Amino acid sequence: MLSHKAKYALKALLYLAEQDENHISKTIEIADGANIPKKFLEQILLDLKRGRFVSSKQGKFGGYYLIKSKNDITLAEIHRLFDGAIALLPCASLNFYEPCADCKTESECSLRHGLMIIRDETLRAMQGITIASLVKK
Amino acid sequence: MLSHKAKYALKALLYLAEQDENHISKTIEIADGANIPKKFLEQILLDLKRGRFVSSKQGKFGGYYLIKSKNDITLAEIHRLFDGAIALLPCASLNFYEPCADCKTESECSLRHGLMIIRDETLRAMQGITIASLVKK
DNA sequence: CTAAATCCTAGTTAATCTATAGAATTTACA
DNA sequence: TGTAAATTCTATAGATTAACTAGGATTTAG
């Protein structure tokens, strides 16, 4: 399941993608438009900024805008930024790998192989969902 | 990500699937064999029993055994039993559907369609991973 | 009757998620 | 240069959930 943060991030990006080129959106504008608690959205936009998906203009008449093409922002990236690993266990993860503590003797746990198959399929599917693909609906 | 409960459930089922036909496994045996906290495993086995994956014999010399073919127990089923929906949002779920609270005007939220695609792909992949497929490794 | 197992309910602890509060900083412009 | 309006930063509250743990009730074999 996606966290609210990830869901809100997607909706915020969607909102930004629907604006005119060169338009700068204030937080309150996005919050109202996408129905997201404003103060919570502030944090999310800062995370998106640190992740180089958006940039901001500070001060009066400031706000946020996309700096990455909506064709290049994938569900997979947003999931990883806010909710971490796409794999079902850390030992099957590409970007968040950790060995499992409860697999004693064997070097690979019994679940790892199957979960890596799932990871590959899910990842591929998630990389196919972009902000652009969600907008044109 | 899988919860520990779901992970332990898979490992317990795997353990049971590896035993001889007609063998009955005590909780402590499974706990030691699969490295799972015993008291926690008790609850998990009861859940698996309620889910009709295993059955039990009570009293002295009692224990647990599979009642469903290892070819018919899929990752998707275990995920649903312990971790709920496979979809990334309730509004995109087949078995755990709930409308999203924060999608006001439109009847369908902007994310729903894309997330249903992911759900279909993930579900199909998860239905392909069975206890049997994990054993033979 | 007793030992050994499952079954059941409750509670505990720690972490995490979802938000909110409030002040510091930056900027446009009158 | 002052002020309004925005982002940015840090802390924290409250609720929920996850991961166990405890202890006793029940069942069964011998």
Side-chain angles (χ1 to χ4, degrees):
Chain A
M1 281 284 197
L2 287 184
S3 66
H4 284 207
K5 247 185 175 170
K7 178 177 70 169
Y8 292 157
L10 289 168
K11 293 178 95 174
L13 290 168
L14 220 46
Y15 181 91
L16 291 176
E18 280 166 345
Q19 306 311 306
D20 291 338
E21 195 87 26
N22 299 326
H23 178 71
I24 284 187
S25 305
K26 289 184 289 183
T27 304
I28 188 71
E29 195 182 315
I30 306 171
D32 289 350
N35 215 25
I36 303 170
K38 194 224 168 194
K39 282 302 242 178
F40 199 23
L41 178 60
E42 280 184 13
Q43 295 176 9
I44 293 164
L45 288 168
L46 287 172
D47 288 336
L48 285 171
K49 189 183 175 185
R50 287 183 204 108
R52 312 273 179 162
F53 295 97
V54 305
S55 188
S56 68
K57 184 162 174 294
Q58 286 195 118
K60 200 174 183 179
F61 304 122
Y64 291 91
Y65 52 96
L66 282 185
I67 54 168
K68 194 164 179 177
S69 162
K70 59 189 170 191
N71 291 297
D72 295 339
I73 304 177
T74 72
L75 175 55
E77 290 175 306
I78 300 305
H79 190 286
R80 281 175 170 151
L81 183 60
F82 291 96
D83 293 351
I86 284 161
L88 289 173
L89 285 183
C91 71
S93 174
L94 281 169
N95 290 247
F96 297 85
Y97 174 80
E98 275 182 65
C100 20
D102 57 313
C103 289
K104 31 187 183 184
T105 50
E106 66 259 315
S107 61
E108 305 223 345
C109 92
S110 48
L111 305 176
R112 189 163 184 242
H113 179 255
L115 296 187
M116 285 174 75
I117 295 176
I118 303 295
R119 179 206 65 199
D120 288 340
E121 300 257 0
T122 307
L123 180 55
R124 193 175 39 72
M126 280 190 169
Q127 284 171 338
I129 304 291
T130 65
I131 294 298
S133 77
L134 293 170
V135 167
K136 55 163 108 80
K137 268 241 61 229
Chain B
M1 281 284 199
L2 288 184
S3 66
H4 283 205
K5 248 184 176 173
K7 179 178 68 168
Y8 291 157
L10 289 168
K11 293 178 95 174
L13 290 168
L14 220 47
Y15 180 91
L16 292 177
E18 281 167 345
Q19 305 312 306
D20 291 337
E21 194 88 24
N22 299 325
H23 178 72
I24 284 189
S25 305
K26 289 184 290 181
T27 304
I28 187 71
E29 197 183 312
I30 306 171
D32 288 350
N35 216 25
I36 303 169
K38 193 224 169 195
K39 282 302 243 177
F40 198 22
L41 179 59
E42 278 185 16
Q43 295 176 5
I44 293 164
L45 288 167
L46 287 172
D47 287 336
L48 286 171
K49 188 183 175 184
R50 287 184 204 107
R52 312 272 178 164
F53 294 97
V54 304
S55 189
S56 67
K57 185 163 174 294
Q58 286 196 115
K60 200 173 182 180
F61 304 122
Y64 292 91
Y65 52 95
L66 282 185
I67 54 169
K68 194 164 179 178
S69 162
K70 59 190 170 191
N71 291 296
D72 295 341
I73 304 176
T74 70
L75 175 56
E77 290 175 306
I78 300 305
H79 189 286
R80 281 177 171 149
L81 183 60
F82 292 96
D83 293 350
I86 284 161
L88 289 171
L89 285 182
C91 71
S93 174
L94 282 170
N95 290 249
F96 298 85
Y97 174 80
E98 276 181 64
C100 20
D102 56 313
C103 289
K104 33 188 182 186
T105 50
E106 66 259 315
S107 60
E108 306 224 344
C109 92
S110 49
L111 305 176
R112 188 162 185 244
H113 179 255
L115 295 188
M116 285 174 75
I117 295 176
I118 303 296
R119 179 206 66 199
D120 288 340
E121 300 257 0
T122 307
L123 180 55
R124 195 174 39 72
M126 280 188 170
Q127 284 171 338
I129 305 289
T130 65
I131 295 299
S133 77
L134 293 170
V135 166
K136 58 164 108 81
K137 268 240 63 227

